[in-house]
Amino acid sequence: MLLLKGMLAGIDYISEWRFLNRIRPLAGRLSEVIDEIDYSARLDPMNHHPLFKYLFTTIVDTFPIRVATSVSSAASNIFFQGKYACHVVKVQLGITFKREIVFWSGLHPGSNDDGTIGRDTIHRCPRYRWEYWLGDGVYEVVRRMMVPFRKQPIPGTNPLQYFPLSQFQLRVNKLIAGVRGRVEHVNAMVVNHDMFEGRPYRGSLDFLFLYVNITIHFTALMIRMEVSRQLPGWSMNANGHPHFE
């Protein structure tokens, strides 16, 4: 059983033998069958925001998971991320405006920026021609993605300088940031796990994928089962998504 913080207080560790012979095989089998992420939930008619009433369905972002430094200098360079000053793998999540997880793209080397990760993975997610997603500024390299305004370089300056953003652009960025905060909240729910928040992960990336996959799917289930989503007055449409009547 994978424990979230606050569950079964007093259990601080599990023996290495039990983990290797009981927990890890179970994680492999569970990861193969778990299926709590519904990509079609992004098309829920209630999936909208006052600022994004039409066309926009998904908010995307990444978060890091610390990993131990590799003995290989090449691998060490691949996973080191200066932003966090440590070695990490990145996980990319896509959620709806209702905070429901609709996709995750796997584990990515920490040295990859979010824009590269998005460009290499989001095209695998089938989207309608009218459909747009919402992301951070580095996602500007991804097609049909709305991102905040970014400062543009001033030609001929050395060292490089940038044009300041206008008051209008700053206001727009603030509004977008307020909406994007939803995905950061879900990111925190996933990473709020002793396996990811404690010491850097040591072990196979294949097994780390299993643990992350299970955690993300169960987080998606936890979000759907929140008490506020089960209140009287909620009903299910033909696709099984909740609507308030």
Side-chain angles (χ1 to χ4, degrees), residues 36-102:
E36 297 296 341
I37 295 178
D38 183 3
Y39 183 61
S40 68
R42 76 193 198 287
L43 302 178
D44 187 331
M46 297 299 291
N47 178 33
H48 53 71
H49 184 275
L51 297 177
F52 301 96
K53 296 182 179 180
Y54 311 102
L55 305 181
F56 293 88
T57 64
T58 306
I59 311 170
V60 64
D61 194 17
T62 69
F63 64 87
I65 295 176
R66 291 193 303 156
V67 296
T69 305
S70 173
V71 295
S72 166
S73 59
S76 179
N77 292 334
I78 292 174
F79 291 101
F80 182 78
Q81 173 52 251
K83 177 181 178 180
Y84 307 112
C86 61
H87 296 79
V88 303
V89 295
K90 288 185 176 181
V91 178
Q92 181 179 234
L93 284 186
I95 71 163
T96 67
F97 292 101
K98 297 169 60 180
R99 297 188 301 113
E100 295 184 7
I101 300 174
V102 293

Side-chain angles (χ1 to χ4, degrees), residues 207-218:
F207 288 118
L208 178 59
F209 175 87
L210 301 181
Y211 309 142
V212 174
N213 187 48
I214 293 170
T215 303
I216 290 176
H217 278 268
F218 270 115

Side-chain angles (χ1 to χ4, degrees), residues 106-119:
L107 305 180
H108 307 278
S111 60
N112 286 2
D113 64 82
D114 294 1
T116 300
I117 295 173
R119 184 183 57 201

Side-chain angles (χ1 to χ4, degrees), residues 13-46:
Y13 66 92
I14 187 171
S15 70
E16 182 178 357
W17 182 93
R18 184 177 294 274
F19 181 82
L20 295 178
N21 293 277
R22 299 289 178 83
I23 301 299
R24 197 159 68 179
L26 175 61
R29 293 192 293 270
L30 180 58
S31 181
E32 291 178 356
V33 299
I34 194 169
D35 185 20
E36 297 296 341
I37 295 178
D38 183 3
Y39 183 61
S40 68
R42 76 193 198 287
L43 302 178
D44 187 331
M46 297 299 291

Side-chain angles (χ1 to χ4, degrees), residues 42 55 125-133 143-144:
R42 76 193 198 287
L55 305 181
C125 303
R127 288 190 286 171
Y128 289 97
R129 292 183 178 180
W130 51 262
E131 187 176 354
Y132 282 77
W133 287 12
R143 296 178 62 241
R144 300 203 305 275

